[in-house]
Amino acid sequence: MEPVTLQINGATHRLFVAPHRTLLETLREDLGLTGTKHGCELGECGACTVLVDGTPTLSCLTLTVEASGSEIVTIEGIGTVAHPHPLQRAFAEFGAAQCGYCTPGMILTAKALLDHRARPGSDEIGEAIAGNMCRCTGYLPIIRAIAAAAEELP
Amino acid sequence: MRLDPHHGVVGTAAPRIDGLAQATGSLRYVDDLAFPGMLWGKILRSTQAHARVVSVDTRAAEAMPGVRAVLTGEDFPVAFGLLPVSQDEHALAIDKVRHVGEPVAAVAADDPDIAQRAVDAIEVVYEPLPAVTTMEEAAAMADEPIHGEGPRVNRHREVSLEFGDVDAGFDAAYHVREDVLFYQGNNHAALETHGAVGLLTDEGRLHVYSSTQVPHYLHRILAKVLEMPEGAIRVTACPTGGGFGGKTDVFSHELVAAKFALVTGRPTKIVLTREEVFYAHRGRHPVLMWIKTGFTEDGRITAMWLKTYVDGGAYGSYGAASLLYTGQLLPVTYDIPAYRFQGVRFFTNKPACGPKRGHGTPQGRFGLEVHLDKAAEDLALDPVAIRRRNLIEPHSLTVNHLRVTSCGLAECLDRVVDASGFRDRYGEMPPGRGLGLAVGAYLSGAGLPIYFNDMPQSEVMLKVDRGGGVTVYSMAADCGQGSTTMLATVVGEALGLDPTELTVVTADTDLTPIDLGSYSSRVTFMAGNAALEAALRLGDLILTAVADEWEVDPDRVELGRGVVVAGDRQMTWREAVQIAEARWGLLVATGSYKPPKDIKGDYRGAGVGPSPAYSYSACVAEVAVDADTGVVSVEKVWLAHDIGRSINPLMVQGQIEGSVHMALGEVLMEEQAFRGALHDGPSLLDYKIPTVLEMCDVESIIVESVDPEGPFGAKEVGQGPLLPVIPAVVNAVYDAVGVRIDEVPVRPDKVIAALRDRTRGGTGRYGPTSLPDYEFRPPLPVDPPGR
């Protein structure tokens, strides 16, 4: 077991993890942050996307020990039902989630985009979310929601 | 109580009531559940396509520290299957395995790593048998058939029906043409893999949480396989991370997780890997089809003969129905005077196929719509005219005795033709660009339940608390399609309440009354009708009590938005509820829905196809085809859908856009293909689904024909819009580059092969040329309904 220190959603967690434990497993199984989803565990679908030092990262392909010392943001860290982030509100309002399983990863990818680009065009939004699969919506309401959230953010 | 929507709830593009729970990651899917002392289960799967299981040695696995239980086929002697006619599966293989990836044994351990190591330590001795992997092989006599004793053909089911005099129709035709086409199988690829947790409650009852779309069927099959009374079992269907029909069967892991809970007394979770999902499958059936149609000179159909050859994989699943669906719904769009439909579903040593969005109908629909475009060209008609000339009439009976009520197909056709500029642009576009047209129809719920009974298909209960809060109880499972929001919207509209203020309790066999499940696009129509009936009864209780209180005629008292009114008198809903509870006691109302009995014929096979209402769709697709690479890009899709009445236009549009996405995957890239009996690539890296970069622009057109029996006139939208997209794209490829790809998916290599063929003086066609050597039994003659 390896000692690691993780900064997750602004809180510090000190824990011991097996060297082969993935960040996805640590978040979901050890810390109960089940908002991060697993869809394939092979880096193909994007459902497990979290932000590591601001960059969208596939937590299923990231070892927890690699993330030690990094700032990690999960879906739980950006808003709640009572106080949603503008992206979360827009996803609900535009029907950008149907089953909702890709939604946390999609929103974190979008957040990273909007952190760098205030008013991205729909092509830029498409490029950004091209690694996040959605099987329900056909992506179109997701693009609408991200564009609408971008308008709302400063 | 008024039956027309007038409270501004129905018809409003409102967000899902669980939208923020989804967007914040707080919605709990089955894999998000954890319980004290929970074990992790893993399943050992067959490495053999077809083999006798000689022995399963679990001793090494059982000896591993942390392993709490090991199960094998001996622990599950009772066979099961979703359809009563197909009880051909076991939770873990007994005696034989029939496909690579079939569950053979299972381990429950303290953590997943231990469970996996223990699974790897189980030793299975197989005696390989000849594997059947193609329909041609399946049609031949086998000494070792996949099911039953040989020698016999690996046939699962056959259908052979004739409505009217088909030969006379061909004799009378001005033009007859035949085509052979193939539709490859594909997987649902829902983002969430399947999962289940079994546990014992404090009282010792079994409680199973699952990603299932059909908690009621899971409940029945758990009781059968575990040999327990249904009352000793509780099933909860968690919100599902996408279903598309992939979670409408009952699976090994659900039964195994339940058994582990019984054996160990500890909660046990099993979540499939992505690879395992491709083995569990139950996806689209590969269908080879032959279609022959006679036409008058002006394009009227005189007769049609369809033969379908369906590759079912190793088990029955829903296949007896899937087979019938390949042909039974074609007469729902076109008035076919005489129709012969013959089909056969074969067993092969591959994962079993089952229902996927459109269940059995996209394949035949693809065949017919491509065939019609070719016939139109033969007859020098345009694709609109040949369809227009044959459209089914509203309020009519099809040749195979299906009852059509509302039908907005003509309007759907006109709307996509107009919106896309089809009349001016078809055949006139620059080289490499083309337009294609197609239509489709789908069920608003299967008219018959899966097991024969006279009880309602859906029941809803409402309960009111003294604060005016209304709770809706229904077993309908939300697999992302939004059934929970639909229930709140229907009840909210009827009672003048805001859907977001209602509480909806769903999909739990202990808490909720029956709904058969989220399949066959049945939930809005059936659970919606049950909810509406319950809401109207509740409204009557409240209006009657208020009328008594005010001493006015009950007919003068009405529900407004959150209020009860009579003339200039008004009270709040909360006040009215308290008066009603004082008057009646506990305020509970129930509603039930059972489809009418007169919607089907009385021939063998007539049970598959009837529905209380059919949705209709029409589609124009615009494509660009790169003649150098063979790559087809779909640039835009116009899709008009007759939903009857749009309960929530935002969610209707979502289903249309999502259907287009799934259809693009099927027509351009997705295949559950095999090398022999080995899956070609059981991962999302190899099995490509469209990303945002392959998605096209979609213009959704909602047509409202207001069905006389649907809740507020509503019909389905979850599956129907997928159907016409696939043939529309294939027809557009022909318009773009002049080659006929009679096979889905339209991969670049097929386009290139067809283009090369044309360059060399061939017909420029890519597709199947032969049919399996299989003789259908003579068709059962059925008189068409009198007209």
Side-chain angles (χ1 to χ4, degrees):
Chain A
M1 297 293 244
E2 300 290 328
V4 292
T5 301
L6 300 173
Q7 302 289 336
I8 303 173
N9 303 330
T12 303
H13 298 262
R14 290 198 178 83
L15 51 161
F16 287 89
V17 298
H20 63 272
R21 195 128 178 105
T22 66
L23 182 58
L24 175 63
E25 290 167 333
T26 297
L27 292 172
R28 287 182 54 84
E29 314 301 346
D30 300 338
L31 301 175
L33 293 168
T34 54
T36 304
K37 302 303 178 197
H38 85 99
C40 68
E41 296 185 356
L42 291 168
E44 297 154 3
C45 75
C48 67
T49 304
V50 297
L51 301 185
V52 177
D53 294 329
T55 302
T57 302
L58 298 172
S59 63
C60 75
L61 295 186
T62 305
L63 294 177
T64 306
V65 291
E66 293 179 90
S68 192
S70 297
E71 290 275 351
I72 296 159
V73 176
T74 71
I75 193 70
E76 291 90 350
I78 74 162
T80 62
V81 171
H83 301 286
H85 185 275
L87 271 165
Q88 292 171 316
R89 202 161 50 233
F91 266 61
E93 279 175 12
F94 284 80
Q98 283 179 23
C99 83
Y101 208 73
C102 74
T103 308
M106 199 70 86
I107 286 177
L108 290 167
T109 301
K111 182 173 186 303
L113 171 69
L114 299 189
D115 286 346
H116 294 99
R117 291 277 295 134
R119 300 285 183 273
S122 58
D123 285 355
E124 280 174 282
I125 294 172
E127 284 293 329
I129 63 168
N132 292 76
M133 290 177 177
C134 168
R135 194 57 162 167
C136 298
T137 65
Y139 306 99
L140 302 175
I142 293 172
I143 294 172
R144 291 177 203 124
I146 295 170
E151 290 294 323
E152 204 182 318
L153 285 164
Chain B
M1 294 277 297
R2 284 171 60 181
L3 265 172
D4 58 314
H6 61 288
H7 285 130
V9 178
V10 158
T12 298
R16 301 168 60 100
I17 62 173
D18 51 359
L20 274 178
Q22 294 176 322
T24 55
S26 58
L27 197 70
R28 295 291 185 99
Y29 303 84
V30 68
D31 191 24
D32 301 335
L33 302 178
F35 298 92
M38 190 170 79
L39 302 174
W40 297 78
K42 288 279 182 187
I43 293 172
L44 174 69
R45 291 174 182 271
S46 170
T47 56
Q48 303 293 309
H50 194 196
R52 250 182 273 286
V53 179
V54 177
S55 63
V56 182
D57 185 346
T58 60
R59 284 171 297 181
E62 282 165 22
M64 284 186 173
V67 170
R68 303 301 165 196
V70 180
L71 296 171
T72 66
E74 288 174 11
D75 298 299
F76 295 95
V78 179
F80 72 96
L82 202 97
L83 298 186
V85 294
S86 295
Q87 303 293 302
D88 59 2
E89 296 187 60
H90 286 86
L92 297 170
I94 295 183
D95 302 333
K96 253 174 80 156
V97 288
R98 297 177 173 87
H99 67 88
V100 172
E102 177 165 349
V104 174
V107 173
D110 291 346
D111 76 42
D113 293 343
I114 297 170
Q116 188 59 56
R117 281 201 297 277
V119 157
D120 294 342
I122 296 173
E123 288 186 28
V124 184
V125 176
Y126 296 105
E127 178 193 330
L129 297 168
V132 174
T133 59
T134 67
M135 291 197 278
E136 288 74 14
E137 291 168 1
M141 291 299 273
D143 290 333
E144 294 281 356
I146 296 168
H147 291 276
E149 299 297 319
R152 60 180 291 181
V153 170
N154 277 299
R155 173 185 51 227
H156 170 220
R157 305 280 286 191
E158 184 185 315
V159 55
S160 187
L161 296 165
E162 180 160 349
F163 307 93
D165 192 338
V166 170
D167 291 334
F170 288 141
D171 288 345
Y174 168 80
H175 176 65
V176 177
R177 80 162 287 136
E178 298 174 21
D179 283 293
V180 183
L181 306 101
F182 179 64
Y183 196 114
Q184 178 60 291
N186 50 55
N187 184 265
H188 318 81
L191 258 278
E192 178 204 38
T193 64
H194 307 47
V197 180
L199 57 83
L200 298 185
T201 66
D202 296 349
E203 304 81 25
R205 294 173 73 227
L206 175 65
H207 189 174
V208 177
Y209 293 87
S210 174
S211 55
T212 186
Q213 296 174 246
V214 288
H216 175 58
Y217 295 148
L218 176 56
H219 193 211
R220 283 170 57 83
I221 291 176
L222 280 165
K224 180 185 181 196
V225 170
L226 301 175
E227 300 177 272
M228 294 168 65
E230 285 175 39
I233 303 170
R234 174 179 181 183
V235 173
T236 303
C238 297
T240 299
F244 317 111
K247 293 163 182 167
T248 55
D249 216 328
V250 170
F251 293 91
S252 167
H253 67 273
E254 294 169 311
L255 304 167
V256 168
K259 186 78 175 181
F260 275 135
L262 293 171
V263 169
T264 65
R266 290 170 64 174
T268 306
K269 180 195 280 191
I270 302 179
V271 177
L272 302 190
T273 64
R274 179 57 57 181
E275 181 179 3
E276 287 179 291
V277 171
F278 286 100
Y279 299 139
H281 193 45
R282 317 294 151 137
R284 184 85 72 222
H285 285 78
V287 177
L288 180 64
M289 63 203 104
W290 174 88
I291 184 165
K292 174 178 174 179
T293 307
F295 299 90
T296 63
E297 191 170 0
D298 65 353
R300 272 288 289 144
I301 294 169
T302 61
M304 185 181 292
W305 184 1
L306 172 74
K307 292 191 221 176
T308 59
Y309 303 83
V310 179
D311 187 345
Y315 289 99
S317 180
Y318 281 81
S322 317
L323 169 64
L324 281 155
Y325 278 130
T326 61
Q328 281 288 68
L329 292 199
L330 297 186
V332 175
T333 52
Y334 301 120
D335 183 11
I336 302 168
Y339 182 43
R340 187 183 297 151
F341 167 38
Q342 295 177 300
V344 57
R345 183 178 189 265
F346 294 111
F347 284 127
T348 54
N349 291 115
K350 295 182 287 193
C353 298
K356 184 188 173 194
R357 204 174 203 164
H359 192 189
T361 72
Q363 299 97 320
R365 179 57 57 185
F366 153 73
L368 175 56
E369 296 294 319
V370 170
H371 175 70
L372 272 185
D373 255 37
K374 295 182 186 190
E377 188 177 38
D378 296 344
L379 293 163
L381 293 169
D382 71 71
V384 186
I386 198 166
R387 290 179 171 82
R388 263 273 174 204
R389 213 142 280 171
N390 290 291
L391 288 190
I392 197 88
E393 292 287 321
H395 302 286
S396 61
L397 289 173
T398 67
V399 71
N400 54 343
H401 296 262
L402 302 178
R403 187 198 66 161
V404 171
T405 53
S406 61
C407 171
L409 180 55
E411 184 181 346
C412 289
L413 189 55
D414 290 345
R415 297 277 296 272
V416 291
V417 165
D418 290 347
S420 63
F422 188 83
R423 285 184 197 287
D424 298 329
R425 299 168 68 215
Y426 178 71
E428 304 294 332
M429 297 180 74
R433 302 187 67 86
L435 289 178
L437 172 71
V439 307
Y442 199 67
L443 317 166
S444 299
L448 269 64
I450 274 171
Y451 62 100
F452 178 76
N453 71 79
D454 264 337
M455 294 175 280
Q457 281 214 28
S458 195
E459 298 164 339
V460 168
M461 185 171 76
L462 302 179
K463 177 183 73 74
V464 187
D465 69 52
R466 291 180 178 180
V470 176
T471 305
V472 184
Y473 297 88
S474 162
M475 207 179 288
D478 204 321
C479 51
Q481 89 282 38
S483 55
T484 301
T485 302
M486 180 281 296
L487 288 165
T489 307
V490 166
V491 173
E493 173 62 48
L495 298 176
L497 302 173
D498 185 336
T500 61
E501 291 172 0
L502 304 184
T503 302
V504 188
V505 177
T506 61
D508 188 313
T509 60
D510 264 15
L511 303 179
T512 62
I514 284 291
D515 179 82
L516 293 187
S518 292
Y519 67 93
S520 81
S521 273
R522 52 180 298 290
V523 177
T524 293
F525 203 97
M526 300 197 185
N529 264 325
L532 179 56
E533 183 176 82
L536 293 175
R537 286 176 176 167
L538 178 64
D540 273 339
L541 290 176
I542 288 166
L543 293 182
T544 310
V546 172
D548 281 359
E549 175 81 8
W550 281 342
E551 296 177 342
V552 297
D553 182 345
D555 291 343
R556 290 191 53 227
V557 188
E558 284 187 319
L559 293 170
R561 278 301 290 265
V563 293
V564 178
V565 295
D568 55 2
R569 299 181 75 171
Q570 177 169 321
M571 74 168 76
T572 63
W573 167 260
R574 179 192 164 100
E575 290 167 326
V577 158
Q578 294 183 353
I579 287 167
E581 188 182 335
R583 169 80 170 75
W584 302 110
L586 171 63
L587 285 179
V588 175
T590 64
S592 304
Y593 178 78
K594 184 157 65 167
K597 278 191 178 296
D598 64 348
I599 58 174
K600 62 180 277 291
D602 62 358
Y603 55 92
R604 187 172 154 80
V608 173
S611 175
Y614 299 92
S615 76
Y616 288 91
S617 312
C619 174
V620 169
E622 179 169 346
V623 305
V625 183
D626 185 325
D628 294 326
T629 62
V631 171
V632 176
S633 310
V634 179
E635 312 233 307
K636 181 157 184 180
V637 161
W638 292 262
L639 200 138
H641 182 76
D642 166 23
I643 188 163
R645 167 102 65 189
S646 173
I647 300 277
N648 180 329
L650 180 69
M651 294 168 69
V652 171
Q653 185 181 350
Q655 289 300 314
I656 293 173
E657 291 170 345
S659 290
V660 170
H661 165 265
M662 192 161 276
L664 293 189
E666 299 201 15
V667 71
L668 296 179
M669 64 190 84
E670 295 183 29
E671 17 190 354
Q672 170 103 342
F674 295 83
R675 278 167 284 174
L678 270 187
H679 195 291
D680 214 17
S683 74
L684 290 178
L685 199 60
D686 297 295
Y687 184 93
K688 302 287 188 196
I689 71 170
T691 70
V692 68
L693 301 178
E694 285 82 39
M695 186 58 192
C696 66
D697 190 12
V698 179
E699 187 169 328
S700 301
I701 300 165
I702 297 174
V703 170
E704 296 192 305
S705 61
V706 187
D707 186 78
E709 296 175 20
F712 298 113
K715 302 192 285 191
E716 78 89 37
V717 65
Q719 308 192 60
L722 174 134
L723 297 164
V725 179
I726 293 142
V729 169
V730 175
N731 288 337
V733 169
Y734 179 71
D735 188 40
V737 288
V739 295
R740 294 284 186 191
I741 312 299
D742 289 339
E743 191 177 301
V744 163
V746 183
R747 290 195 316 253
D749 59 298
K750 298 178 185 176
V751 175
I752 290 292
L755 286 168
R756 285 194 182 141
D757 178 62
R758 200 187 50 182
T759 309
R760 291 173 188 149
T763 56
R765 170 184 181 267
Y766 184 98
T769 52
S770 65
L771 299 170
D773 186 10
Y774 179 84
E775 183 131 357
F776 289 99
R777 62 172 184 256
L780 173 76
V782 181
D783 287 334
R787 304 189 181 199

